[in-house]
């Protein structure tokens, strides 16, 4: 019976091993099957996101601003979908009779195809030199941006036909500006997706030096992007969330940038564990345990920072918060589940030709980051002082940042609408080409019109649409659109009409919108920035168990943001010739750089904390963390900066500015702040870096 008993005991010992091995094989396949289902369900909805994005003027306006309320009231007036445009004809030396005849024929054709308020003889004004004519068109029956765009294209086609040689015909005005902007937006998604994927692919090939490995994280981040697009589309349908093309563009960059960063950290730790653990499944489990908390905290800071944007009054900013948060969550979920499953199934061979062999040590090369750490350790106070001084000096460049970006300066390549507005500005220097809109209760419309005409700075007043409850007045100022003079006129108009009892008169229009944007962005900065700082601090303290370390990391990335804004001031106007800065960028870039920039500090300090818990002294832990994480964190920083730099290839000034500021800030944080400033601060503070946690106690010293 003894042999039988021994056999049973042996089987009893082997059964758990076999069951464990089976589970190790089954779990990765189950995870992959789960994501295949997710992809199959979400793919049809992901493609609908671009069509659901809204880029109307009101979608980029503050929710509670006066100019926003004007836009909503205009939609309720008779012909609420009326779109205003300016048809401009110009000939150097003066318009000829044939030019006037052609213009009249064009107007008849336009009136025959579209419903014009005023029929085929809308008001036309000729400049004093007789070289330019300007005709105001009000086109009704255009319910959405798509219909408006088609109408703009149709009118442009008409005026290009049978046009005398030498006559320049252009279509401008608010609807033409928005149509040109929407056309640019529609071209962004595909270009951005391909550009970002291409940049990430090239960098992964260079980083991994493997012909196969780079494909895995790139494919996984593609799955995350599809899931995120479908998720955002669901939010739009469920909660009527305002999602603009800028929001979806930033989300795409975030998914590729943040997702690739998480992949780099996980793969580096997995490669390290494969040399000490025989089975890939067990090595991956150890890798996730080691870097998982840092990755979770990293994504947590980004999500927390983005969700704080929901407190903003600006529609485009508040909508960007949940959109970006969905993107980061999908990137995190895919990189911490799907990526490990695929890598485990592929085994060690995915790293070919540099395969990590069990029981061996990685080839020790001369470490640049060890040299950096040693240089910082010799004179940490001097290094810290010089680094902080450099960042502060750079930040003074922000004083040279250009003023508020005007609509006509928002494009890198000037479209027809901008050319038309510039022609009008040159031909009619004493009048604005874009109307100021006043909406009042109809019974008080006459009284309001008298007050408007009596306001200093007003050139002309034209009646607009009128309904039983509300009436529209179109006001043209003496000053140019979006100029300081027109803004002063709008302020005077608001003072004048607000005082008329019972009129409930409010003032809007393009320049009024810009004024409200400036005011709202300033208010949003005062509300959102403190919320972001508190949210990030909470996540950092929870991870690092230290108030001091959390404060050092936050102060460091604030310095990076200030320096990035300063460098932008030295580049945007003087070198690139940009005439303005998008007013939402100071807040948005602050949120992104605080949330994303602090990630690299998290990776560094989490590794330092690990070393301290193993018994290393504060100085040794700081230098070891820099040496061991330097390569992968630098790679992650370069990838993130490169993905945001892709925005600089797009044809909108605001996106170029955003990409530049964030890319520069990330690079500063990667190469200066993390390597020198945070490390120097750790060397100077020693155990106090970890106050008030247990690592700050003297007994933890070695």
């Amino acid at each position: 019976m003894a042999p039988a008993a021994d056999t049973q005991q042996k089987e009893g010992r082997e059964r758990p091993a076999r069951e464990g091995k089976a589970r190790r094989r089954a779990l990765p396949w189950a995870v992959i099957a789960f994501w295949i289902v997710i992809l199959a369900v979400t793919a049809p909805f992901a493609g609908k996101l671009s069509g659901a994005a809204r880029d109307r003027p009101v979608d980029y306006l503050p929710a509670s601003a006066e100019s926003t309320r004007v836009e909503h009231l205009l939609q309720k007036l008779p012909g609420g979908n009326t779109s205003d445009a300016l048809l401009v004809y110009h000939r150097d030396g003066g318009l000829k009779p044939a030019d006037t005849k052609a213009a009249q024929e064009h107007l008849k054709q336009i009136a025959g195809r579209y419903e014009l308020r005023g029929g085929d003889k809308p008001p036309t004004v000729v400049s004093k030199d007789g070289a330019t004519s300007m005709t105001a068109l009000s086109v009704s029956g255009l319910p959405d941006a798509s219909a408006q765009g088609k109408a703009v294209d149709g009118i442009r086609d008409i005026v290009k036909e049978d046009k005398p040689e030498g006559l320049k015909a252009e279509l401008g005005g608010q609807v033409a500006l928005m149509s040109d902007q929407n056309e640019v937006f529609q071209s962004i998604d595909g270009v951005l997706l391909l550009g970002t994927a291409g940049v990430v692919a090239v960098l992964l090939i260079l980083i991994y030096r493997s012909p196969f490995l780079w494909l895995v994280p790139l494919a996984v981040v593609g799955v995350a992007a599809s899931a995120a697009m479908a998720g955002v589309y669901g939010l739009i349908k469920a909660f009527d969330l305002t999602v603009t093309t800028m929001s979806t563009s930033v989300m795409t960059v975030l998914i590729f940038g943040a997702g690739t960063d998480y992949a780099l950290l996980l793969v580096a730790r997995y490669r390290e564990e494969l040399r000490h653990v025989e089975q890939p499944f067990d090595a991956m489990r150890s890798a996730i345990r080691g870097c998982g908390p840092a990755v979770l905290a990293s994504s947590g800071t980004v999500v927390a920072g983005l969700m704080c944007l929901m407190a903003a009054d600006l529609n485009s900013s508040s909508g960007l918060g949940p959109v970006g948060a969905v993107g980061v969550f999908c990137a995190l979920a895919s990189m911490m589940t799907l990526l490990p499953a695929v890598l485990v199934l592929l085994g060690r061979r995915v790293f070919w030709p540099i395969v990590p062999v069990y029981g061996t040590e990685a080839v020790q090369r001369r470490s640049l980051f060890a040299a950096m750490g040693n240089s910082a350790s010799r004179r940490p106070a001097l290094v810290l002082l010089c680094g902080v001084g450099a960042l502060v000096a750079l930040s003074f460049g922000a004083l040279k940042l250009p003023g508020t970006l005007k609509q006509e300066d928002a494009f890198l390549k000037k479209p027809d609408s901008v050319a038309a507005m510039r022609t009008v500005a040159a031909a009619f220097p004493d009048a604005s080409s874009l109307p100021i809109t006043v909406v009042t209760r109809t019974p008080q419309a006459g009284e309001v019109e008298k007050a408007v005409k009596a306001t200093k700075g007003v050139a002309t007043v034209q009646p607009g649409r009128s309904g039983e409850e509300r009436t529209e007045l179109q006001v043209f100022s003496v000053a140019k659109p979006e100029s300081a003079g027109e803004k002063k006129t709008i302020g005077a108009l608001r003072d004048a009409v607000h005082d008329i009892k019972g009129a409930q008169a409010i003032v809007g229009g393009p320049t009024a919108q810009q004024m409200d944007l400036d005011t709202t962005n300033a208010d949003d900065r005062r509300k959102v920035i403190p919320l972001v700082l508190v949210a990030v601090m909470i996540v950092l303290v929870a991870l690092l168990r230290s108030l001091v370390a959390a404060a050092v990391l936050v102060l460091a990335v604030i310095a990076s943001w200030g320096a990035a804004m300063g460098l932008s001031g030295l580049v945007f106007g003087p070198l690139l010739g940009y005439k303005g800065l998008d007013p939402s960028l100071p807040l948005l870039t602050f949120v992104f750089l605080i949330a994303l920039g602090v990630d690299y500090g998290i990776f560094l300090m989490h590794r330092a904390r690990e070393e301290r818990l193993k018994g290393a002294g504060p100085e040794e832990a700081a230098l070891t963390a820099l040496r061991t994480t330097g390569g992968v964190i630098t790679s992650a920083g370069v990838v993130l900066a490169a993905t945001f730099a892709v925005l600089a290839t797009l044809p909108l000034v605001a996106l170029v500015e955003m990409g530049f500021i964030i890319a520069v800030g990330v690079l500063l944080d990667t190469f200066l702040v993390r390597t020198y400033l945070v490390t120097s601060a750790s060397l100077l503070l020693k155990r106090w870096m970890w106050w008030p946690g247990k690592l700050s106690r003297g007994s933890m010293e070695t």
Side-chain angles (χ1 to χ4, degrees):
M1 298 295 296
D6 290 342
T7 301
Q8 290 177 353
Q9 291 177 0
K10 184 178 180 180
E11 289 181 354
R13 291 192 300 269
E14 292 178 350
R15 187 180 299 112
R18 289 197 302 268
E19 292 175 352
K21 189 175 181 179
R23 283 196 299 270
R24 287 196 293 269
R25 285 198 303 263
L27 182 58
W29 285 112
V31 171
I32 292 174
F34 170 79
W35 277 100
I36 289 175
V37 172
I38 293 293
L39 189 60
V41 171
T42 60
F45 300 101
K48 297 181 179 181
L49 178 59
S50 59
R54 299 184 300 194
D55 294 300
R56 302 169 303 171
V58 72
D59 297 320
Y60 288 87
L61 293 178
S64 61
E66 183 171 336
S67 58
T68 309
R69 286 185 281 135
V70 168
E71 288 296 319
H72 288 303
L73 287 173
L74 290 176
Q75 296 299 314
K76 298 177 181 179
L77 288 174
N81 295 314
T82 298
S83 302
D84 296 321
L86 290 176
L87 182 56
V88 182
Y89 291 93
H90 174 82
R91 180 186 289 275
D92 293 336
L95 295 170
K96 298 179 179 180
D99 300 334
T100 303
K101 183 178 180 181
Q104 292 172 349
E105 182 60 31
H106 290 160
L107 285 175
K108 289 181 181 179
Q109 293 182 42
I110 294 171
R113 185 181 299 184
Y114 304 101
E115 183 182 347
L116 295 184
R117 195 172 67 205
D120 61 353
K121 294 184 179 180
T124 299
V125 181
V126 179
S127 61
K128 292 179 180 178
D129 61 2
T132 305
S133 70
M134 177 178 67
T135 304
L137 302 178
S138 292
V139 187
S140 301
L142 304 178
D144 52 32
S146 176
Q148 292 169 356
K150 291 178 180 178
V152 168
D153 292 340
I155 293 173
R156 284 174 173 165
D157 289 340
I158 289 173
V159 300
K160 288 178 182 177
E161 297 175 357
D162 299 325
K163 181 169 62 67
E165 186 177 352
L167 177 65
K168 183 166 61 175
E170 300 165 330
L171 187 68
Q174 186 69 7
V175 68
L177 280 169
M178 289 308 303
S179 176
D180 289 337
Q181 182 170 298
N182 287 337
E183 186 175 346
V184 171
F185 279 141
Q186 289 169 7
S187 68
I188 283 176
D189 288 341
V191 173
L192 183 63
L193 186 61
L194 292 175
T196 307
V199 166
V200 170
V202 170
L203 291 174
L204 286 177
I205 292 171
L206 294 174
I207 292 167
Y208 287 141
R209 292 175 290 172
S210 167
F212 308 113
L213 181 57
W214 65 275
L215 288 167
V216 180
L218 189 62
V220 171
V221 82
V223 173
S226 177
M229 291 175 185
V232 172
Y233 179 76
L235 288 178
I236 294 173
K237 293 301 180 182
F239 302 103
D240 195 29
L241 184 69
T242 298
V243 176
T244 64
T245 301
M246 177 180 281
S247 299
T248 59
S249 299
V250 172
M251 182 187 74
T252 299
V253 171
L254 265 179
I255 293 170
F256 276 84
T260 306
D261 278 5
Y262 303 152
L264 287 170
L265 195 68
L266 178 65
V267 171
R269 192 63 177 258
Y270 176 52
R271 188 201 297 263
E272 181 182 332
E273 295 294 336
L274 281 172
R275 298 184 181 277
H276 306 294
V277 180
E278 184 174 4
Q279 295 297 325
F281 182 92
D282 298 327
M284 180 59 74
R285 183 167 54 187
S286 297
I288 292 175
R289 286 175 178 173
C291 69
V295 173
L296 286 173
S298 169
S299 59
T301 59
V302 180
V303 170
L306 289 171
M307 292 304 290
C308 291
L309 282 173
M310 293 186 70
D313 190 38
L314 190 63
N315 287 332
S316 55
S317 295
S318 60
L320 177 57
V323 170
V326 168
V328 172
F329 175 79
C330 290
L332 171 70
S334 62
M335 291 303 167
M336 297 304 287
T337 58
L338 180 58
L339 178 63
V342 175
L343 289 175
V344 167
L345 289 176
L346 292 174
R348 300 173 188 272
R349 60 184 178 275
V350 74
F351 290 95
W352 187 87
I354 308 174
V355 179
V357 179
Y358 171 61
T360 64
E361 293 295 332
V363 177
Q364 296 296 324
R365 296 183 176 88
R366 187 174 181 181
S367 172
L368 171 65
F369 299 98
M372 288 180 170
N374 291 334
S375 66
S377 65
R378 285 192 288 270
R379 293 185 177 180
L382 180 61
V383 170
L384 183 62
L385 182 63
C386 291
V388 171
L391 292 176
V392 171
L394 285 174
S395 67
F396 279 103
L399 298 175
K400 295 184 69 64
L401 282 168
T404 300
L405 186 68
K406 297 179 181 179
Q407 280 187 317
E408 66 181 52
D409 298 321
F411 306 90
L412 288 179
K413 295 181 179 179
K414 300 300 183 283
D416 289 347
S417 57
V418 172
M421 305 313 290
R422 290 183 175 177
T423 300
V424 169
F428 303 93
D430 297 330
S432 173
S433 56
L434 292 176
I436 302 167
T437 305
V438 177
V439 177
T440 178
R441 291 186 73 248
T442 299
Q444 288 80 22
E447 187 179 356
V448 169
E449 185 174 356
K450 290 180 182 178
V452 168
K453 289 180 178 179
T455 302
K456 185 178 180 181
V458 171
T460 60
V461 180
Q462 296 179 3
R465 292 163 290 167
S466 182
E468 293 183 5
E469 296 184 3
R470 303 283 176 174
T471 293
E472 171 197 6
L473 299 174
Q474 290 192 328
V475 183
F476 291 87
S477 75
V478 173
K480 294 181 179 180
E482 300 183 73
S483 64
E486 188 178 39
K487 291 177 181 179
K488 186 175 180 180
T489 300
I490 290 172
L493 278 172
R494 284 178 167 173
D495 290 339
V497 301
H498 289 173
D499 290 338
I500 299 176
K501 188 174 181 180
Q504 299 178 6
I506 51 178
V507 180
T511 305
Q513 292 169 4
Q514 197 64 60
M515 294 169 62
D516 292 339
L517 279 172
D518 290 340
T519 301
T520 302
N521 275 296
D523 292 340
D524 285 347
R525 288 195 293 272
R526 287 190 288 269
K527 287 188 298 184
V528 176
I529 286 177
L531 289 176
V532 172
L533 294 176
V534 170
V536 171
M537 278 290 294
I538 290 173
V539 175
L540 289 176
V541 171
L543 174 72
L544 302 175
R545 306 291 195 272
S546 167
L547 284 172
V548 174
V552 167
L553 293 183
V554 169
L555 290 173
V557 291
I558 290 175
S560 296
W561 172 77
M565 293 297 291
L567 276 172
S568 300
L570 301 176
V571 171
F572 289 164
L575 295 183
L576 300 180
Y578 295 164
K579 297 181 179 179
L581 180 75
D582 188 279
S584 66
L585 288 188
L587 173 62
L588 296 182
T589 55
F590 181 88
V591 171
F592 280 113
L593 281 178
I594 293 298
L596 294 170
V598 82
D599 286 359
Y600 306 121
I602 287 175
F603 299 152
L604 177 72
M605 296 305 292
H606 183 260
R607 187 59 181 257
R609 189 172 188 276
E610 278 190 67
E611 297 298 325
R612 288 283 285 130
L613 290 173
K614 292 177 182 178
E619 295 180 349
E620 180 187 355
L623 296 176
T624 300
L626 178 60
R627 184 181 67 253
T628 55
T629 66
V632 65
I633 295 178
T634 299
S635 300
V638 170
V639 169
L640 185 63
T643 54
F644 271 97
V646 174
L647 290 175
T649 66
L650 301 178
L652 287 175
V653 171
L655 290 177
V656 175
E657 291 173 340
M658 174 182 283
F660 181 89
I661 294 170
I662 296 178
V664 168
V666 168
L667 291 176
L668 284 172
D669 195 78
T670 301
F671 289 101
L672 174 60
V673 171
R674 175 185 55 85
T675 51
Y676 281 115
L677 302 193
V678 174
T679 300
S680 298
S682 298
L683 294 172
L684 286 171
L685 292 170
K686 296 184 171 62
R687 62 187 177 88
W688 295 108
M689 186 71 166
W690 303 101
W691 185 88
K694 66 178 182 179
L695 295 182
S696 66
R697 298 166 194 161
S699 59
M700 294 298 299
E701 295 261 15
T702 61

